[in-house]
Structures are given as structure tokens and as C-alpha cells.
Amino acid sequence: MTSLKQSPELTPTVEELEAQERRLVLRQFTHDDAWALGSLLVDLARERQAPVAIDIHRAGQQLFHAALPGSTPDNDAWIARKRRVVERYGSASYLVGARFRAKGTTFEESSRLDPDMYAAHGGSFPITVEGVGVVGAVTVSGLPQLQDHRLVVEALELFLSRG
């Protein structure tokens, strides 16, 4: 997938981010799916020795959480703030921030939302179910925001490819 082949320096466009969301739609999302996706993220993060925390929520319930070595309680706070952006806007936290930047402003300046409660930084991605819409969010925190975003996208792509 092109999103995985980009150099770290290349920032995806709003259009590329929107295309990711259109592509990464699931047929269903059960408790077992949350476990499988979360476990996949843990495996990817461990392979890279990434000091991240991983969280999956559906319909207001935490279905998966893992904190890997090097992560801190601050990562859990970032997860909550990024997840709230997905829940409010129905789009990836990184995409929401990119949309504000594309308008020549920032989320913090223009959203009118409390930055202690909301963060439009990369790492939280909507869990979208075909014919239903956004039902939850999968979130990673601990890397620079674009890397957090890309880790979640990579995991969703692998999860979808495995059927």
C-alpha cells in the first residue's frame, strides 16, 4: 500500500488520508476482532521495539488495551484525547488536524474544544463497519504523530488482508 511505502518525511495529503478511511472499512467488528487487531498491533510494535500504548474502544467500551515497555501514563492521556477527536468528528485524529492545517489554522486555534480533552494528533483511527458507520476507534500513542498514524493504518491493512 502506498501509505506504508512513503518516506517518513512525506506528509500525506488530506485526500490521501480520506482515501485511507474509505479503504479501511470492516465487514464487522466483534470483541474477538478487537483482540485480534490489538494483538496484531502489539506484535508490530514489539518487532520495532516501539514504546507505545494501544487502545481499542467500541461504543464507549474499552475492548483492548496494552502498554508496552517504554510507554508511560502520559500515553494513556494522549490516547483518550485523540480518541475523543475520532468520536466527535468520525475521522482519524491525524486527518482532522490535517483538515484544519489545510485551512491555514490549527485544531487548537479553531476547533473551540478544550485541548486538555481533545488532540487532533495522529494515532487514532475510526473503526468503520460497512453499512453501519463509525463504531469505535483504534489508537496508538508513543511515537511521533505520523508514525502513530501509520502504525494503526498498517495494522488495519494487515487485519483486512487476513479476512
Side-chain angles (χ1 to χ4, degrees):
M1 300 285 151
T2 57
S3 63
L4 301 178
K5 306 291 187 246
Q6 295 175 352
S7 310
E9 309 81 46
L10 296 180
T11 302
T13 64
V14 168
E15 293 75 21
E16 289 169 332
L17 295 167
E18 289 171 343
Q20 287 175 345
E21 288 191 359
R22 286 190 301 275
R23 190 176 72 249
L24 299 174
V25 175
L26 308 173
R27 290 183 40 231
Q28 64 177 18
F29 196 73
T30 66
H31 286 77
D32 289 339
D33 292 327
W35 179 262
L37 177 58
S39 298
L40 177 60
L41 269 163
V42 167
D43 291 344
L44 290 172
R46 281 189 173 148
E47 285 172 13
R48 296 158 195 188
Q49 298 181 325
V52 297
I54 299 160
D55 181 88
I56 299 176
H57 266 68
R58 185 190 68 189
Q61 181 183 19
Q62 184 179 53
L63 300 182
F64 185 93
H65 186 85
L68 298 183
S71 65
T72 69
D74 285 344
N75 297 122
D76 292 329
W78 275 99
I79 282 171
R81 293 168 60 215
K82 293 191 276 189
R83 186 186 71 246
R84 285 187 197 104
V85 168
V86 172
E87 292 168 348
R88 184 170 186 116
Y89 289 87
S91 291
S93 54
Y94 192 78
L95 172 56
V96 172
R99 285 176 174 153
F100 278 90
R101 289 187 297 277
K103 294 177 186 172
T105 185
T106 66
F107 178 81
E108 295 78 11
E109 290 171 355
S110 299
S111 72
R112 301 182 65 184
L113 295 172
D114 182 352
D116 289 334
M117 297 295 291
Y118 295 88
H121 292 257
S124 192
F125 202 93
I127 297 168
T128 305
V129 173
E130 203 174 284
V132 178
V134 176
V135 299
V138 52
T139 311
V140 169
S141 176
L143 302 170
Q145 67 169 327
L146 183 53
Q147 290 178 32
D148 278 347
H149 174 82
R150 286 187 173 149
L151 182 58
V152 172
V153 168
E154 179 181 356
L156 282 166
E157 287 171 338
L158 285 169
F159 182 76
L160 277 167
S161 73
R162 293 178 179 178

